[in-house]
Amino acid sequence: ADAATVEFAAGSTCWSPRSAGDSAGGLQEFHLWVAGKQRRYLLHVPARAERTNSLPLVLLAPGTGEPPEHFFHVARLPDEPRFATAVLVGFGNRLNVGLHAQAAPERPDDVEYARAVIVAARRRLCIDPNRIFCAGFSRGGRFCSRLASELSGVVRAVAAVGGVR
């Protein structure tokens, strides 16, 4: 099944062995397919995170043109076993959201992409489905607002910094 079509089960269990290619922690790059297009995202796993303890997932949404690696490092998140982070990557480093948190129909569906990233992260890690959040800057903040509306049953809270219109 396509990653975006997987249901979010509240009672999901955690896997004990790490998936192939997973390391003990740190920032890693992954790829997935959404609507016939290969998409990329970054996943940060705290080095001391226990595989069997559920972690919150924070989606990071960069501003226009901001490379995801730069945005992750600017956020200065601690490497503590408190939460996992997935950095979203829009086409041309622009997530699909414009004024009033509306999508541009000619651009890829980044809400489905964000859903696929959440599903992929839950397959790799023990993510608590009740603690999925989004934090973004400028265009990324607007995108988090869009997720709050369109994935309201999945994304529990958002933090938007700068440029929210």
Side-chain angles (χ1 to χ4, degrees), residues 1 12 18 40 47 83 91 95 97 102 111 118 134 140 144 149:
S12 67
R18 287 191 178 271
R40 162 175 106 94
F83 58 91
F91 277 106
L95 291 165
V97 63
Q102 299 298 311
V111 171
I118 293 167
C134 187
C144 287
S149 175

Side-chain angles (χ1 to χ4, degrees), residues 7 10 26 29 37-38 50 52-53 69 78 84 91 95 97 124 142 146 152 154 159:
E7 294 291 322
E29 180 177 316
K37 294 181 180 4
Q38 187 176 32
E50 293 292 326
T52 56
N53 292 341
E69 296 83 358
F91 277 106
L95 291 165
V97 63
R124 292 188 174 282
R142 284 193 307 281
R146 184 172 170 213
S152 61
V154 177

Side-chain angles (χ1 to χ4, degrees), residues 17-34:
R18 287 191 178 271
S19 301
D22 285 354
S23 68
L27 188 62
Q28 302 171 47
E29 180 177 316
F30 295 99
H31 294 87
L32 48 76
W33 289 88
V34 178

